[in-house]
Amino acid sequence: MNTSDIEHILDKLRNKELEEYLVQKEDFLIFREKLVKQSDFKHFRGVAQHGGSVVYTYTDEPRS
């Protein structure tokens, strides 16, 4: 997974083209590094899965 792939995925989540996206354990650190730099970071919600993967969704309301 590279930076442009991550930006594309984040845009698709943001625009509701994707309902959710599964990030595998081995891609988590690079994905999160790019995610935390987003201006709307608090709208992304990650739910950890068994085995180290994370399912990300985009919410209309930012988390607190």
Side-chain angles (χ1 to χ4, degrees), residues 1 5 7 10-14 16-17 19 21 24-25 28 36 38 40-42 46-47 50 54-55 58-59 61:
M1 181 175 282
D5 291 339
E7 289 176 7
L10 293 174
D11 284 340
K12 283 189 165 215
L13 284 169
R14 189 178 286 121
K16 307 290 186 182
E17 294 174 41
E19 189 172 312
Y21 184 78
Q24 299 297 329
K25 180 181 179 179
F28 173 75
V36 298
Q38 303 300 305
D40 57 349
F41 167 65
K42 290 201 171 208
V47 178
H50 187 69
V54 179
V55 174
Y58 190 85
T59 61
E61 294 293 320

